[in-house]
Amino acid sequence: MALADARALVPHLPAFPHDPAGDGAMLMRAVEACERYTPMVAPDGEDALVLDLTGCFEGQGWTRETIARDALAHLARMGLGGRAAHGPTPDAALALARFGMDELADLPVAALALGAEADLALRRAGLRTIGALAARPRAPLAARFGRELPVRLARLLGEEDRRITPHRPAGAIRAERRFAEPLASVAPLLDVIEGLAQRLESVLARRGEGGRRFDVALFRTDGHVARLAVACGRPLRDPPAIRRLFSERLESLSDPLDPGFGYDMARMAVPLAERLENEQRDLACGEGGEAQPDLAPLLDRLAVRFGPDRIRRFHPRDEHLPEYAARPVPPESGPAAWPRPEPGEPPLRPLFLYDPPRPVGVVAEVPDGPPRRFVWRGKHHRVVRHEGPERIAYPWWKHPEGRGPTRDYYRVEDEMGQRFWLFRHGLYASESDHPQWYLHGLFA
Amino acid sequence: MTDSPILRLGSRALSAPVPKGRGVIGLDVPEVDRWLKGGLRRDGLHEFYAPSGSPPGPAMALALLAGMRNCGQGRSLMWLRARGGRRKDGPHAPGLAELGIDPAALLLLELADPADLLVAGVESLRHGGAGAVVLELRGRCRALDLTASRRLALAAERSGTMALIVRGDARPVPSAAHTRWQVSAAPSRALPANAPGHPVFDLQLLRQRGGAEGLHVQLEWNREQAVFRTPIYGDPPAVPAGRAEDRRARRAA
């Protein structure tokens, strides 16, 4: 029926534009809300969810009926109406739910979803229900109505199973807790998290592993799911340490948690676990003065709070250009040995590097000579000592097609004693007529 | 300036013996250590100001060198700084190695703003696992008030981690620091061919908690012996044996 016809019948009919993206997002919210029952949840089509409840009843006090009722109640709170059905295969359950029936045999042939033409052909042949089809030999059916029919029929009747692909891959290590009364405040959350971590600790210890990442999902009664994740630099299974990381995470949330009508379930999963051996404490610990606390927990906390890419360590890199001579690496990769400097030499590299180098105005006696004066940040510096040039060529052996200007580096000291690292970008006459000067670093 | 490296020292300070303390880091020059009653406190908060308008290199270097002295037995030195937009300015590890600061012991933390930096600084100091925590702040920093610096000082005192603040482009303000220095570069002793020599620092003690200020001294850093000493100006030193012949040959040419 067209909208105009419908409005002729019901003048005040509200109308909304079709929004497939919004519908899809709503369906995904429903998927997230149903993750409370099983991690195996997948959307089907535009209007259905499939939950694989295999093994989900044990120890949880659920039955098929209570899960169906609970799920519908949750969806109703999200403003969604629905029908629930269960079956031996996803296809059977979907067909029962879509047609609102209880028995597979009573389903119309349209449940096979073969298309309008095939439906009509089946009905003309006097085959109206799945029950009638199931009783017949399959080979003639396939010959007449196509090869798809026996496959779909087998899936519908539970003779052949189909796997669903869950929306979110389930971690093998997880623990969950349901609350009799929804948690309406954030305060007790850390205790809940520590409780979950304690349950995971034994699982992890049995596997000889520690978690490198911990995800917590908080299921709100109205279907919203809040997710928190922390990562750590080395495998961890100590509940108080996990609690501290999550307390940092909660504090650093830019958008604080809104418990709304309360959380009624929490789940902790370990998506990434690594080998963690039990370590024996060093008995001779007291010998060499007091032991220093391990830095790793602090680095984990700082990484959770300020972002994992903010902490760096330096590893040497065999590179010509000074800006690439040190490689920043994450702190958990451990220290690397640095080459020892040449004895007797003053520092030949600056301790602080400007990247990009800052352009400076330089006066030199001759265009390819050392600098005499330069202006930086509006201040004039007269060079009284200098050493150079140290010529650093563009790495043409790596980039044969592109050639950059050569740099001539000078270590200079002005009349105040301030020491700078300057370079002339481009060789005079052969590479550039007016080479630009840059300040690249500061010495002590 | 050149004939008297120790510019202002009271007669009182010169006569007394250098107090020995386990909780302090000496600066190797007896007169300076006497003035500081042994040296810089290992569990103290020390501020190093670069004079306004001059680059912060010497102040950074001095803070790092002092901090490294509290980083024995594999302890790390944490350097906290605020990231300046899209520029990737920062410590240059090869240059630190040439100054005698092992980059392997260094952990760099780049934070979004000074407020985060102070939070991370207090947290790192409280933990006590690092040997020293260097906070590099640029410009006038409102977040670092008396309360914030008191918090840093208390955290350092409790854990025994040395707290070092490097300030560039800033005027000295009241704080809870144990010592406050103004550090600038001083002319180095020239190497052959008038090349810049080993770093020389010009230090002014602006404040010392429970002690006298006003010490003004120039110190030269010797990487091989890892000591500070008063620079002796005069003829260029004899060329030592070793490699890098070509560099010296060029200097002599």
Side-chain angles (χ1 to χ4, degrees):
Chain A
M1 193 182 284
L3 180 62
D5 297 339
R7 282 221 164 123
L9 297 173
V10 186
H12 298 295
L13 186 71
F16 302 97
H18 179 45
D19 178 13
D23 291 347
M26 187 75 198
L27 193 67
M28 289 326 285
R29 292 227 310 275
V31 166
E32 301 238 319
C34 285
E35 273 181 24
R36 66 176 62 229
Y37 309 111
T38 166
M40 298 285 286
V41 186
D44 189 280
E46 291 170 351
D47 57 350
L49 302 180
V50 185
L51 280 68
D52 186 347
L53 295 173
T54 315
C56 290
F57 304 114
E58 233 171 89
Q60 309 280 6
W62 292 111
T63 63
R64 290 171 187 174
E65 286 72 30
T66 52
I67 284 193
R69 214 176 311 134
D70 197 68
L72 287 181
H74 268 106
L75 293 177
R77 263 183 233 134
M78 294 171 73
L80 297 172
R83 268 202 302 261
H86 54 81
T89 61
D91 299 80
L94 278 169
L96 288 172
R98 288 212 164 107
F99 290 90
M101 293 184 172
D102 294 328
E103 282 299 322
L104 281 171
D106 298 341
L107 282 171
V109 288
L112 291 171
L114 287 169
E117 226 172 281
D119 286 351
L120 192 64
L122 282 166
R123 278 210 301 280
R124 285 212 177 126
L127 299 165
R128 288 176 190 283
T129 64
I130 298 296
L133 273 178
R136 300 191 167 265
R138 302 283 159 85
L141 284 176
R144 177 149 177 205
F145 300 104
R147 272 198 215 145
E148 269 293 276
L149 191 144
V151 175
R152 300 211 176 185
L153 190 62
R155 283 188 181 164
L156 207 54
L157 294 171
E159 293 160 9
E160 181 189 316
D161 202 0
R162 173 170 74 98
R163 296 280 108 219
I164 62 168
T165 310
H167 159 60
R168 197 183 296 276
I173 310 164
R174 56 180 190 272
E176 57 191 46
R177 188 166 156 205
R178 285 159 213 277
F179 312 120
E181 199 64 30
L183 283 185
S185 76
V186 182
L189 269 181
L190 283 176
D191 292 325
V192 171
I193 286 172
E194 192 173 350
L196 289 171
Q198 272 163 5
R199 281 164 54 190
L200 283 183
E201 187 191 15
S202 57
V203 180
L204 286 166
R206 213 162 41 235
R207 297 165 63 111
E209 289 183 334
R212 284 285 308 276
R213 246 193 15 242
F214 295 87
D215 291 348
V216 163
L218 300 164
F219 294 80
R220 218 158 69 178
T221 41
D222 61 354
H224 178 267
V225 183
R227 292 181 191 279
L228 304 169
V230 298
C232 41
R234 58 173 66 179
L236 190 71
R237 60 173 179 242
D238 177 34
I242 298 172
R243 178 200 174 111
R244 270 199 298 278
L245 289 183
F246 273 102
S247 111
E248 291 288 342
R249 166 58 69 232
L250 283 175
E251 270 176 45
S252 66
L253 284 179
S254 53
D255 188 15
L257 285 182
D258 172 21
F261 296 105
Y263 297 108
D264 60 355
M265 189 182 133
R267 174 187 295 150
M268 182 185 276
V270 184
L272 183 65
E274 278 177 11
R275 198 99 207 110
L276 173 65
E277 304 295 349
N278 284 319
E279 274 177 33
Q280 185 175 354
R281 280 297 169 125
D282 189 6
L283 289 174
C285 198
E287 292 287 309
E290 68 254 59
Q292 302 304 333
D294 187 12
L295 213 52
L298 169 71
L299 298 179
D300 285 345
R301 281 211 303 281
L302 292 172
V304 166
R305 181 121 178 202
F306 301 110
D309 56 338
R310 300 214 174 254
I311 310 178
R312 289 282 171 261
R313 204 185 260 294
F314 295 108
H315 279 188
R317 178 153 61 179
D318 193 12
E319 273 284 350
H320 234 60
L321 295 178
E323 55 266 42
Y324 300 119
R327 180 178 41 185
V329 294
E332 54 264 26
S333 37
W338 278 79
R340 295 194 68 79
E342 196 72 50
E345 291 278 332
L348 302 174
R349 288 281 179 270
L351 86 154
F352 192 87
L353 205 67
Y354 288 111
D355 188 13
R358 306 287 197 268
V360 286
V362 165
V363 178
E365 271 173 3
V366 282
D368 55 351
R372 281 277 154 250
R373 298 168 170 281
F374 66 96
V375 184
W376 184 50
R377 288 187 181 163
K379 283 184 86 172
H380 291 258
H381 300 268
R382 190 167 63 83
V383 175
V384 293
R385 304 196 208 294
H386 75 269
E387 182 180 51
E390 179 184 348
R391 188 158 291 177
I392 297 182
Y394 185 81
W396 46 265
W397 55 94
K398 281 191 181 166
H399 315 283
E401 70 286 353
R403 293 228 33 203
T406 307
R407 303 180 193 172
D408 271 352
Y409 278 93
Y410 289 89
R411 240 160 31 86
V412 304
E413 183 175 308
D414 71 1
E415 74 267 36
M416 304 281 292
Q418 297 165 354
R419 287 162 284 269
F420 302 93
W421 210 33
L422 299 174
F423 72 88
R424 180 176 40 225
H425 204 215
L427 298 176
Y428 177 69
S430 66
E431 285 182 357
S432 165
D433 287 342
H434 301 284
Q436 171 67 45
W437 283 83
Y438 291 94
L439 178 82
H440 205 173
L442 300 175
F443 287 97
Chain B
M1 190 184 273
T2 49
D3 47 26
S4 160
I6 307 276
L7 297 175
R8 265 195 281 152
L9 286 171
S11 56
R12 175 182 58 85
L14 285 169
S15 53
V18 180
K20 294 263 183 217
R22 277 187 58 200
V24 293
I25 285 168
L27 292 179
D28 309 321
V29 178
E31 291 85 348
V32 176
D33 287 349
R34 225 173 268 140
W35 190 285
L36 294 171
K37 303 195 187 73
L40 300 174
R41 277 179 62 167
R42 282 179 188 273
D43 59 349
L45 171 67
H46 309 284
E47 290 182 326
F48 299 89
Y49 279 85
S52 60
S54 63
M60 277 179 206
L62 202 73
L64 289 167
L65 290 171
M68 258 349 239
R69 296 194 157 190
N70 202 26
C71 289
Q73 297 156 0
R75 289 174 92 186
S76 294
L77 185 137
M78 297 178 69
W79 183 339
L80 278 59
R81 60 192 310 272
R83 195 180 283 174
R86 281 161 57 200
R87 286 175 170 172
K88 291 183 286 176
D89 301 351
H92 187 49
L96 294 172
E98 300 220 348
L99 199 62
I101 297 161
D102 186 11
L106 188 75
L107 279 165
L108 180 72
L109 228 86
E110 290 192 299
L111 298 144
D113 54 37
D116 275 3
L117 196 144
L118 290 174
V119 171
V122 171
E123 187 89 348
S124 314
L125 286 169
R126 255 186 217 145
H127 182 268
V133 177
V134 176
L135 289 88
E136 184 199 334
L137 290 156
R138 186 150 298 187
R140 244 173 86 196
C141 178
R142 286 187 181 281
L144 182 63
D145 53 7
L146 203 56
T147 319
S149 79
R150 179 97 188 107
R151 205 172 282 146
L152 289 168
L154 282 176
E157 275 172 28
R158 286 203 190 122
S159 67
T161 299
M162 207 168 178
L164 303 146
I165 297 182
V166 179
R167 304 281 312 261
D169 291 334
R171 289 180 173 283
V173 288
S175 72
H178 292 93
T179 61
R180 182 180 311 136
W181 301 85
Q182 191 180 70
V183 187
S184 56
S188 62
R189 285 187 302 149
L191 296 174
N194 203 21
H198 295 278
V200 180
F201 305 100
D202 180 276
L203 290 143
Q204 276 184 63
L205 184 59
L206 302 180
R207 189 195 123 90
Q208 182 184 184
R209 208 200 279 179
E213 65 243 32
L215 175 74
H216 188 166
V217 69
Q218 296 196 346
L219 295 179
E220 186 186 57
W221 169 248
N222 182 302
R223 179 188 63 214
E224 265 67 52
Q225 294 163 17
V227 290
F228 289 103
R229 56 187 177 202
T230 49
I232 300 153
Y233 296 94
D235 293 330
V239 176
R243 280 175 55 211
E245 293 295 333
D246 51 338
R247 184 182 294 280
R248 292 200 186 89
R250 200 169 61 232
R251 264 184 212 137

